[in-house]
Amino acid sequence: MSGAQDTDFTPVQPDEQDSIIHVEHIYALYRERINTYFSLKLNAAAADDLTQQVFMKAAENLHRFKGNAHIFTWIFKIAQNTLKNEYRRLSRQNESPLDVTQLESQSISLEFTKYVDFRIDIGTALQTLDEKNQEIIALRFFADCTLPEIASIVGMRESAVKNRLYRALGKLKNELNEWGHMAIMSIQNLISIENKGISAHSDNRMKKANHDLITELNGHVERLAVKYDYQPSRKVIIEMYPDLSAFHQAVGEKDAPDWFTGTYEENILKIVSPLNPGPEHTYESIIKGSVHLFSMWLIEEINPQAPKWIRQGIGGYEAKLMTPEYLKFSTEEAIRTNKIPTFAELDDDTWDFDTKKGFQFSYIFVEYVMEKYGVKSMNQLIRHPQEFTRILDCTEAELHQAVSEHIQA
Protein backbone atom coordinates (compact mmCIF):
# COMPACT_ATOMS: atom_id res chain seq x y z
CA MET A 1 0.00 0.00 0.00
CA SER A 2 1.33 3.47 -0.89
CA GLY A 3 1.93 6.25 1.58
CA ALA A 4 -1.00 8.24 0.20
CA GLN A 5 -3.28 5.27 0.67
CA ASP A 6 -2.03 4.85 4.23
CA THR A 7 -2.83 8.48 4.96
CA ASP A 8 -6.40 8.14 3.66
CA PHE A 9 -7.08 4.89 5.50
CA THR A 10 -9.97 5.08 7.96
CA PRO A 11 -9.65 2.77 10.96
CA VAL A 12 -12.32 0.09 11.23
CA GLN A 13 -13.55 -1.18 14.56
CA PRO A 14 -13.31 -4.98 15.01
CA ASP A 15 -17.12 -5.42 15.17
CA GLU A 16 -17.46 -3.70 11.80
CA GLN A 17 -15.01 -5.96 9.96
CA ASP A 18 -17.48 -8.74 9.11
CA SER A 19 -20.01 -6.26 7.73
CA ILE A 20 -17.44 -4.61 5.46
CA ILE A 21 -16.20 -7.95 4.14
CA HIS A 22 -19.82 -8.96 3.51
CA VAL A 23 -20.53 -5.79 1.52
CA GLU A 24 -17.37 -6.22 -0.56
CA HIS A 25 -18.39 -9.78 -1.36
CA ILE A 26 -21.90 -8.68 -2.41
CA TYR A 27 -20.42 -5.93 -4.56
CA ALA A 28 -18.07 -8.37 -6.33
CA LEU A 29 -20.91 -10.82 -6.99
CA TYR A 30 -23.61 -8.45 -8.22
CA ARG A 31 -22.06 -5.20 -9.43
CA GLU A 32 -21.93 -6.32 -13.06
CA ARG A 33 -25.56 -7.46 -13.10
CA ILE A 34 -26.85 -4.23 -11.56
CA ASN A 35 -24.71 -2.13 -13.89
CA THR A 36 -26.01 -4.04 -16.91
CA TYR A 37 -29.60 -3.43 -15.79
CA PHE A 38 -28.99 0.31 -15.51
CA SER A 39 -27.24 0.32 -18.89
CA LEU A 40 -30.54 -0.73 -20.47
CA LYS A 41 -32.23 2.35 -19.06
CA LEU A 42 -29.55 5.06 -19.03
CA ASN A 43 -26.24 5.99 -20.60
CA ALA A 44 -23.04 4.27 -19.45
CA ALA A 45 -21.84 7.10 -17.20
CA ALA A 46 -25.19 7.33 -15.41
CA ALA A 47 -25.30 3.54 -15.08
CA ASP A 48 -21.90 3.52 -13.38
CA ASP A 49 -22.96 6.32 -11.03
CA LEU A 50 -26.24 4.66 -10.06
CA THR A 51 -24.52 1.32 -9.54
CA GLN A 52 -22.23 2.96 -6.98
CA GLN A 53 -25.25 4.58 -5.31
CA VAL A 54 -27.02 1.22 -5.01
CA PHE A 55 -24.14 -0.47 -3.22
CA MET A 56 -23.57 2.53 -0.96
CA LYS A 57 -27.24 2.33 0.07
CA ALA A 58 -26.90 -1.43 0.52
CA ALA A 59 -23.88 -0.93 2.78
CA GLU A 60 -25.73 1.65 4.85
CA ASN A 61 -28.79 -0.56 5.25
CA LEU A 62 -27.30 -4.04 5.38
CA HIS A 63 -28.30 -4.34 9.04
CA ARG A 64 -31.95 -4.18 7.90
CA PHE A 65 -31.65 -7.20 5.63
CA LYS A 66 -33.54 -9.98 7.42
CA GLY A 67 -32.52 -12.85 5.18
CA ASN A 68 -36.11 -13.77 4.25
CA ALA A 69 -35.32 -13.21 0.55
CA HIS A 70 -32.30 -13.77 -1.68
CA ILE A 71 -29.70 -11.02 -1.19
CA PHE A 72 -29.76 -10.22 -4.93
CA THR A 73 -33.54 -9.63 -4.76
CA TRP A 74 -33.00 -7.18 -1.91
CA ILE A 75 -30.21 -5.42 -3.82
CA PHE A 76 -32.32 -5.22 -6.95
CA LYS A 77 -35.22 -3.61 -5.10
CA ILE A 78 -32.77 -0.86 -4.10
CA ALA A 79 -31.73 -0.57 -7.77
CA GLN A 80 -35.36 -0.24 -8.89
CA ASN A 81 -36.05 2.52 -6.37
CA THR A 82 -32.82 4.26 -7.32
CA LEU A 83 -33.84 4.17 -10.99
CA LYS A 84 -37.30 5.56 -10.21
CA ASN A 85 -35.72 8.44 -8.32
CA GLU A 86 -33.39 9.11 -11.26
CA TYR A 87 -36.34 9.15 -13.68
CA ARG A 88 -38.13 11.66 -11.45
CA ARG A 89 -35.02 13.84 -11.39
CA LEU A 90 -34.67 13.71 -15.18
CA SER A 91 -38.36 14.52 -15.59
CA ARG A 92 -38.03 17.63 -13.45
CA GLN A 93 -35.12 18.72 -15.64
CA ASN A 94 -36.95 17.89 -18.88
CA GLU A 95 -34.37 15.22 -19.73
CA SER A 96 -35.18 11.79 -21.13
CA PRO A 97 -33.72 8.44 -20.06
CA LEU A 98 -32.18 6.19 -22.67
CA ASP A 99 -34.77 4.73 -25.03
CA VAL A 100 -34.46 1.01 -25.74
CA THR A 101 -34.15 1.73 -29.46
CA GLN A 102 -30.78 3.37 -28.76
CA LEU A 103 -29.26 0.15 -27.45
CA GLU A 104 -26.34 -1.28 -29.33
CA SER A 105 -27.22 -4.40 -31.28
CA GLN A 106 -27.00 -7.41 -29.00
CA SER A 107 -28.00 -10.98 -29.78
CA ILE A 108 -30.00 -13.47 -27.80
CA SER A 109 -30.32 -17.09 -28.86
CA LEU A 110 -33.92 -18.23 -28.89
CA GLU A 111 -34.74 -21.82 -29.67
CA PHE A 112 -38.17 -22.00 -31.30
CA THR A 113 -37.85 -25.02 -33.55
CA LYS A 114 -35.96 -28.29 -33.50
CA TYR A 115 -33.06 -27.33 -35.72
CA VAL A 116 -33.17 -23.54 -36.00
CA ASP A 117 -31.90 -20.83 -33.67
CA PHE A 118 -33.20 -17.30 -33.97
CA ARG A 119 -30.88 -14.43 -33.16
CA ILE A 120 -32.66 -11.17 -32.47
CA ASP A 121 -31.51 -7.56 -32.30
CA ILE A 122 -32.72 -6.82 -28.79
CA GLY A 123 -32.52 -3.04 -29.27
CA THR A 124 -35.14 -3.25 -32.01
CA ALA A 125 -37.14 -5.92 -30.25
CA LEU A 126 -37.73 -4.42 -26.81
CA GLN A 127 -39.67 -1.46 -28.15
CA THR A 128 -42.47 -3.85 -29.23
CA LEU A 129 -43.16 -4.98 -25.64
CA ASP A 130 -44.99 -3.36 -22.74
CA GLU A 131 -43.00 -2.12 -19.75
CA LYS A 132 -43.52 -5.22 -17.60
CA ASN A 133 -42.38 -7.58 -20.35
CA GLN A 134 -39.38 -5.35 -21.09
CA GLU A 135 -38.45 -5.64 -17.44
CA ILE A 136 -38.74 -9.44 -17.46
CA ILE A 137 -36.71 -9.77 -20.68
CA ALA A 138 -34.05 -7.41 -19.32
CA LEU A 139 -33.79 -9.27 -16.02
CA ARG A 140 -33.58 -12.67 -17.68
CA PHE A 141 -31.17 -12.01 -20.52
CA PHE A 142 -29.16 -8.98 -19.40
CA ALA A 143 -29.12 -9.12 -15.60
CA ASP A 144 -28.92 -12.94 -15.82
CA CYS A 145 -31.61 -13.45 -13.17
CA THR A 146 -33.24 -16.80 -12.53
CA LEU A 147 -37.02 -17.16 -12.80
CA PRO A 148 -37.45 -17.22 -8.98
CA GLU A 149 -35.41 -14.02 -8.69
CA ILE A 150 -37.47 -12.32 -11.40
CA ALA A 151 -40.71 -13.41 -9.75
CA SER A 152 -39.61 -11.87 -6.46
CA ILE A 153 -38.42 -8.65 -8.13
CA VAL A 154 -41.54 -7.99 -10.23
CA GLY A 155 -43.98 -9.29 -7.58
CA MET A 156 -45.47 -12.12 -9.63
CA ARG A 157 -45.73 -15.90 -9.32
CA GLU A 158 -42.89 -17.80 -10.98
CA SER A 159 -45.35 -19.56 -13.32
CA ALA A 160 -46.77 -16.20 -14.41
CA VAL A 161 -43.27 -14.88 -15.09
CA LYS A 162 -42.45 -17.96 -17.15
CA ASN A 163 -45.65 -17.59 -19.19
CA ARG A 164 -45.01 -13.90 -19.81
CA LEU A 165 -41.43 -14.63 -20.82
CA TYR A 166 -42.39 -17.23 -23.41
CA ARG A 167 -45.28 -15.18 -24.79
CA ALA A 168 -43.00 -12.15 -25.10
CA LEU A 169 -40.31 -14.16 -26.86
CA GLY A 170 -42.89 -15.60 -29.22
CA LYS A 171 -44.15 -12.10 -30.02
CA LEU A 172 -40.62 -10.93 -30.72
CA LYS A 173 -40.01 -13.89 -33.00
CA ASN A 174 -43.11 -13.27 -35.08
CA GLU A 175 -42.72 -9.51 -35.42
CA LEU A 176 -39.00 -9.50 -36.12
CA ASN A 177 -39.43 -12.22 -38.70
CA GLU A 178 -41.92 -9.99 -40.53
CA TRP A 179 -39.60 -6.99 -40.33
CA GLY A 180 -36.60 -8.88 -41.65
CA HIS A 181 -34.54 -8.13 -38.55
CA MET A 182 -34.04 -11.78 -37.66
CA ALA A 183 -31.15 -13.89 -38.84
CA ILE A 184 -32.09 -17.55 -39.07
CA MET A 185 -29.20 -19.93 -38.76
CA SER A 186 -29.68 -23.64 -39.26
CA ILE A 187 -27.34 -25.85 -37.31
CA GLN A 188 -26.87 -27.92 -40.48
CA ASN A 189 -25.05 -24.88 -41.87
CA LEU A 190 -22.72 -24.89 -38.87
CA ILE A 191 -22.13 -28.60 -38.25
CA SER A 192 -21.81 -31.62 -40.51
CA ILE A 193 -21.10 -35.26 -39.60
CA GLU A 194 -18.90 -37.63 -41.55
CA ASN A 195 -19.10 -41.29 -40.57
CA LYS A 196 -15.62 -42.76 -41.04
CA GLY A 197 -15.07 -46.44 -41.72
CA ILE A 198 -18.78 -47.12 -41.55
CA SER A 199 -20.87 -48.64 -44.30
CA ALA A 200 -22.74 -46.19 -46.47
CA HIS A 201 -25.81 -48.35 -45.80
CA SER A 202 -25.85 -47.34 -42.16
CA ASP A 203 -28.54 -48.86 -39.99
CA ASN A 204 -31.17 -47.10 -37.92
CA ARG A 205 -28.90 -47.10 -34.85
CA MET A 206 -26.28 -45.08 -36.74
CA LYS A 207 -28.91 -42.66 -38.01
CA LYS A 208 -30.19 -42.22 -34.48
CA ALA A 209 -26.67 -41.55 -33.18
CA ASN A 210 -26.19 -38.85 -35.82
CA HIS A 211 -29.58 -37.38 -34.99
CA ASP A 212 -28.90 -37.38 -31.23
CA LEU A 213 -25.52 -35.73 -31.75
CA ILE A 214 -27.00 -32.93 -33.86
CA THR A 215 -29.85 -32.48 -31.41
CA GLU A 216 -27.44 -32.18 -28.46
CA LEU A 217 -25.28 -29.64 -30.24
CA ASN A 218 -28.33 -27.74 -31.42
CA GLY A 219 -29.13 -26.98 -27.81
CA HIS A 220 -25.72 -25.42 -27.20
CA VAL A 221 -23.86 -24.18 -30.29
CA GLU A 222 -25.55 -20.82 -30.73
CA ARG A 223 -25.86 -20.31 -26.97
CA LEU A 224 -22.10 -20.72 -26.62
CA ALA A 225 -21.41 -18.39 -29.53
CA VAL A 226 -23.53 -15.69 -27.87
CA LYS A 227 -22.19 -16.34 -24.37
CA TYR A 228 -18.55 -16.13 -25.44
CA ASP A 229 -19.23 -13.32 -27.91
CA TYR A 230 -17.86 -15.10 -30.97
CA GLN A 231 -19.64 -16.26 -34.11
CA PRO A 232 -17.74 -19.08 -35.86
CA SER A 233 -16.69 -18.08 -39.36
CA ARG A 234 -16.32 -21.60 -40.71
CA LYS A 235 -18.23 -24.83 -40.66
CA VAL A 236 -17.34 -27.50 -38.12
CA ILE A 237 -16.97 -31.06 -39.37
CA ILE A 238 -17.45 -33.96 -36.96
CA GLU A 239 -15.64 -37.12 -37.97
CA MET A 240 -17.15 -40.16 -36.24
CA TYR A 241 -15.08 -43.36 -36.02
CA PRO A 242 -16.65 -46.81 -35.50
CA ASP A 243 -14.74 -47.78 -32.34
CA LEU A 244 -11.89 -46.81 -30.03
CA SER A 245 -9.23 -48.67 -32.01
CA ALA A 246 -10.19 -46.95 -35.28
CA PHE A 247 -10.37 -43.57 -33.57
CA HIS A 248 -6.99 -43.90 -31.81
CA GLN A 249 -5.38 -45.08 -35.06
CA ALA A 250 -6.87 -42.17 -37.03
CA VAL A 251 -5.53 -39.54 -34.64
CA GLY A 252 -2.09 -41.15 -34.35
CA GLU A 253 -2.50 -42.28 -30.73
CA LYS A 254 -2.83 -46.05 -31.01
CA ASP A 255 -1.69 -46.58 -27.40
CA ALA A 256 -4.01 -43.92 -25.95
CA PRO A 257 -6.03 -44.72 -22.79
CA ASP A 258 -9.63 -45.83 -23.12
CA TRP A 259 -11.00 -42.55 -21.75
CA PHE A 260 -9.60 -40.65 -24.75
CA THR A 261 -12.59 -40.49 -27.11
CA GLY A 262 -12.40 -37.08 -28.79
CA THR A 263 -10.06 -34.40 -30.09
CA TYR A 264 -9.97 -31.67 -32.73
CA GLU A 265 -7.69 -30.32 -35.45
CA GLU A 266 -8.46 -27.02 -37.16
CA ASN A 267 -12.24 -27.11 -37.76
CA ILE A 268 -12.52 -30.91 -37.56
CA LEU A 269 -13.82 -32.54 -34.37
CA LYS A 270 -12.96 -36.25 -34.19
CA ILE A 271 -14.89 -38.59 -31.92
CA VAL A 272 -15.54 -42.27 -31.39
CA SER A 273 -19.03 -43.46 -32.25
CA PRO A 274 -21.37 -43.42 -29.26
CA LEU A 275 -22.49 -46.88 -30.40
CA ASN A 276 -19.04 -48.27 -29.43
CA PRO A 277 -17.72 -45.90 -26.75
CA GLY A 278 -15.31 -48.30 -25.03
CA PRO A 279 -15.20 -49.41 -21.39
CA GLU A 280 -14.97 -45.98 -19.74
CA HIS A 281 -17.79 -44.17 -21.53
CA THR A 282 -21.43 -44.57 -22.43
CA TYR A 283 -23.62 -43.61 -25.37
CA GLU A 284 -24.84 -40.56 -23.42
CA SER A 285 -21.39 -39.40 -22.31
CA ILE A 286 -20.10 -39.40 -25.90
CA ILE A 287 -23.13 -37.41 -27.08
CA LYS A 288 -22.79 -34.88 -24.25
CA GLY A 289 -19.01 -34.90 -24.65
CA SER A 290 -19.47 -33.30 -28.07
CA VAL A 291 -20.45 -30.11 -26.24
CA HIS A 292 -17.20 -30.28 -24.26
CA LEU A 293 -15.23 -30.70 -27.48
CA PHE A 294 -17.08 -27.95 -29.34
CA SER A 295 -16.62 -25.56 -26.39
CA MET A 296 -12.87 -26.18 -26.36
CA TRP A 297 -12.70 -25.67 -30.13
CA LEU A 298 -14.65 -22.41 -29.85
CA ILE A 299 -12.32 -21.01 -27.16
CA GLU A 300 -9.27 -21.90 -29.26
CA GLU A 301 -10.89 -20.18 -32.26
CA ILE A 302 -11.27 -17.06 -30.14
CA ASN A 303 -7.67 -17.21 -28.94
CA PRO A 304 -5.27 -20.00 -29.93
CA GLN A 305 -3.08 -18.94 -26.98
CA ALA A 306 -5.81 -19.45 -24.36
CA PRO A 307 -4.33 -21.65 -21.58
CA LYS A 308 -5.32 -25.29 -21.45
CA TRP A 309 -7.02 -24.93 -18.07
CA ILE A 310 -9.39 -22.35 -19.59
CA ARG A 311 -10.12 -24.45 -22.68
CA GLN A 312 -10.60 -27.70 -20.77
CA GLY A 313 -12.38 -26.00 -17.88
CA ILE A 314 -14.92 -24.27 -20.10
CA GLY A 315 -15.43 -27.52 -22.00
CA GLY A 316 -16.28 -29.35 -18.80
CA TYR A 317 -18.28 -26.43 -17.39
CA GLU A 318 -20.51 -26.22 -20.46
CA ALA A 319 -20.97 -29.97 -21.01
CA LYS A 320 -21.80 -30.61 -17.32
CA LEU A 321 -20.68 -34.24 -17.52
CA MET A 322 -19.04 -34.17 -14.09
CA THR A 323 -21.45 -34.07 -11.17
CA PRO A 324 -20.57 -32.21 -7.94
CA GLU A 325 -20.37 -35.57 -6.19
CA TYR A 326 -17.89 -36.92 -8.74
CA LEU A 327 -15.78 -33.75 -8.58
CA LYS A 328 -15.62 -33.98 -4.79
CA PHE A 329 -14.85 -37.70 -4.72
CA SER A 330 -12.21 -37.64 -7.47
CA THR A 331 -10.30 -34.63 -6.12
CA GLU A 332 -10.57 -35.42 -2.42
CA GLU A 333 -7.11 -36.99 -2.10
CA ALA A 334 -5.34 -34.22 -4.04
CA ILE A 335 -7.07 -31.58 -1.93
CA ARG A 336 -6.33 -33.39 1.33
CA THR A 337 -2.62 -33.73 0.48
CA ASN A 338 -2.44 -30.18 -0.90
CA LYS A 339 -1.51 -31.38 -4.40
CA ILE A 340 -3.83 -29.10 -6.32
CA PRO A 341 -2.07 -28.52 -9.67
CA THR A 342 -0.98 -24.99 -10.56
CA PHE A 343 -2.07 -23.34 -13.79
CA ALA A 344 1.38 -24.03 -15.23
CA GLU A 345 1.13 -27.71 -14.29
CA LEU A 346 -2.21 -27.93 -16.10
CA ASP A 347 -0.56 -26.79 -19.32
CA ASP A 348 0.25 -30.43 -19.99
CA ASP A 349 -0.50 -32.25 -23.24
CA THR A 350 0.61 -35.67 -21.97
CA TRP A 351 -1.63 -38.38 -20.51
CA ASP A 352 -0.47 -37.16 -17.07
CA PHE A 353 -3.11 -34.45 -17.39
CA ASP A 354 -5.67 -37.06 -16.33
CA THR A 355 -3.45 -38.31 -13.49
CA LYS A 356 -3.24 -34.77 -12.13
CA LYS A 357 -7.06 -34.59 -12.18
CA GLY A 358 -6.61 -31.87 -14.78
CA PHE A 359 -10.14 -32.16 -16.14
CA GLN A 360 -11.65 -31.76 -12.68
CA PHE A 361 -9.45 -28.92 -11.45
CA SER A 362 -9.76 -27.01 -14.74
CA TYR A 363 -13.53 -27.24 -14.31
CA ILE A 364 -13.29 -26.06 -10.70
CA PHE A 365 -11.09 -23.08 -11.60
CA VAL A 366 -13.40 -21.98 -14.42
CA GLU A 367 -16.51 -22.41 -12.27
CA TYR A 368 -14.94 -20.23 -9.57
CA VAL A 369 -14.11 -17.43 -12.04
CA MET A 370 -17.59 -17.62 -13.58
CA GLU A 371 -19.36 -17.42 -10.23
CA LYS A 372 -17.14 -14.81 -8.60
CA TYR A 373 -16.30 -12.54 -11.55
CA GLY A 374 -18.91 -13.34 -14.22
CA VAL A 375 -18.82 -14.34 -17.88
CA LYS A 376 -17.71 -10.88 -18.99
CA SER A 377 -14.47 -11.23 -17.04
CA MET A 378 -14.02 -14.77 -18.33
CA ASN A 379 -14.37 -13.49 -21.88
CA GLN A 380 -11.64 -10.95 -21.22
CA LEU A 381 -9.44 -13.63 -19.67
CA ILE A 382 -9.88 -15.87 -22.72
CA ARG A 383 -8.70 -13.06 -24.97
CA HIS A 384 -6.02 -11.60 -22.67
CA PRO A 385 -4.78 -14.42 -20.41
CA GLN A 386 -1.61 -12.48 -19.56
CA GLU A 387 -3.64 -9.66 -17.98
CA PHE A 388 -4.82 -11.41 -14.84
CA THR A 389 -4.27 -8.45 -12.56
CA ARG A 390 -6.20 -5.99 -14.75
CA ILE A 391 -9.11 -8.33 -15.34
CA LEU A 392 -9.49 -10.08 -11.96
CA ASP A 393 -7.57 -7.69 -9.72
CA CYS A 394 -5.32 -10.52 -8.58
CA THR A 395 -2.34 -12.50 -9.84
CA GLU A 396 -2.52 -16.09 -11.09
CA ALA A 397 -0.94 -17.25 -7.85
CA GLU A 398 -3.49 -15.31 -5.79
CA LEU A 399 -6.38 -16.76 -7.81
CA HIS A 400 -4.99 -20.27 -7.35
CA GLN A 401 -4.68 -19.66 -3.61
CA ALA A 402 -8.21 -18.32 -3.40
CA VAL A 403 -9.67 -21.33 -5.25
CA SER A 404 -7.59 -23.72 -3.13
CA GLU A 405 -8.90 -22.16 0.08
CA HIS A 406 -12.42 -22.21 -1.31
CA ILE A 407 -12.45 -25.93 -2.07
CA GLN A 408 -10.60 -26.84 1.13
CA ALA A 409 -13.10 -24.99 3.29
Side-chain angles (χ1 to χ4, degrees), residues 230 234 264 266 296-308 311 347 382-383 385-386:
Y230 183 83
R234 52 182 174 165
Y264 60 90
E266 296 293 332
M296 288 183 61
W297 173 83
L298 184 71
I299 301 308
E300 190 158 314
E301 281 285 291
I302 296 171
N303 180 13
Q305 305 304 317
K308 185 170 182 177
R311 287 182 278 121
D347 191 22
I382 291 167
R383 290 159 172 81
Q386 301 83 13

Side-chain angles (χ1 to χ4, degrees), residues 98-112:
L98 179 68
D99 188 86
V100 293
T101 59
Q102 299 174 12
L103 289 172
E104 293 183 4
S105 175
Q106 300 190 52
S107 293
I108 291 176
S109 175
L110 309 175
E111 195 175 308
F112 286 102

Side-chain angles (χ1 to χ4, degrees), residues 51-68:
T51 300
Q52 295 298 324
Q53 289 184 37
V54 166
F55 286 98
M56 288 176 64
K57 290 175 184 176
E60 293 168 359
N61 294 281
L62 190 59
H63 62 284
R64 298 181 180 177
F65 177 63
K66 303 301 182 184
N68 53 0

Side-chain angles (χ1 to χ4, degrees), residues 193 209-217 238 240 271 287 290:
I193 299 177
N210 287 355
H211 175 270
D212 289 348
L213 185 61
I214 285 289
T215 301
E216 181 70 26
L217 287 169
I238 298 179
M240 190 184 295
I271 65 171
I287 295 294
S290 65

Side-chain angles (χ1 to χ4, degrees), residues 104-109 118-122 142 222 226:
E104 293 183 4
S105 175
Q106 300 190 52
S107 293
I108 291 176
S109 175
F118 294 93
R119 303 185 69 211
I120 64 174
D121 181 329
I122 200 66
F142 288 89
E222 188 67 12
V226 172

Side-chain angles (χ1 to χ4, degrees), residues 28-40 44 47-48 51 104 106 141-144 226-229 314 317 366 369-384 387 390-392:
L29 282 177
Y30 303 123
R31 185 204 66 79
E32 185 175 315
R33 293 168 71 177
I34 296 298
N35 186 268
T36 301
Y37 171 72
F38 283 139
S39 296
L40 285 172
D48 288 343
T51 300
E104 293 183 4
Q106 300 190 52
F141 291 105
F142 288 89
D144 197 27
V226 172
K227 182 174 183 177
Y228 294 105
D229 195 21
I314 287 177
Y317 182 82
V366 164
V369 172
M370 288 287 200
E371 292 185 355
K372 181 173 177 60
Y373 300 98
V375 69
K376 188 176 291 186
S377 293
M378 177 56 78
N379 273 328
Q380 292 185 55
L381 202 59
I382 291 167
R383 290 159 172 81
H384 308 286
E387 300 182 21
R390 177 183 66 80
I391 297 168
L392 303 183

Side-chain angles (χ1 to χ4, degrees), residues 262-327:
T263 188
Y264 60 90
E265 297 176 10
E266 296 293 332
N267 63 321
I268 300 175
L269 278 54
K270 302 183 179 186
I271 65 171
V272 71
S273 169
L275 298 174
N276 296 293
E280 296 198 23
H281 282 275
T282 65
Y283 183 97
E284 291 75 18
S285 70
I286 297 296
I287 295 294
K288 291 184 178 296
S290 65
V291 177
H292 184 133
L293 206 57
F294 179 85
S295 300
M296 288 183 61
W297 173 83
L298 184 71
I299 301 308
E300 190 158 314
E301 281 285 291
I302 296 171
N303 180 13
Q305 305 304 317
K308 185 170 182 177
W309 73 267
I310 290 181
R311 287 182 278 121
Q312 280 288 0
I314 287 177
Y317 182 82
E318 297 297 346
K320 294 292 189 290
L321 275 168
M322 293 183 283
T323 65
E325 293 76 20
Y326 172 76
L327 284 168

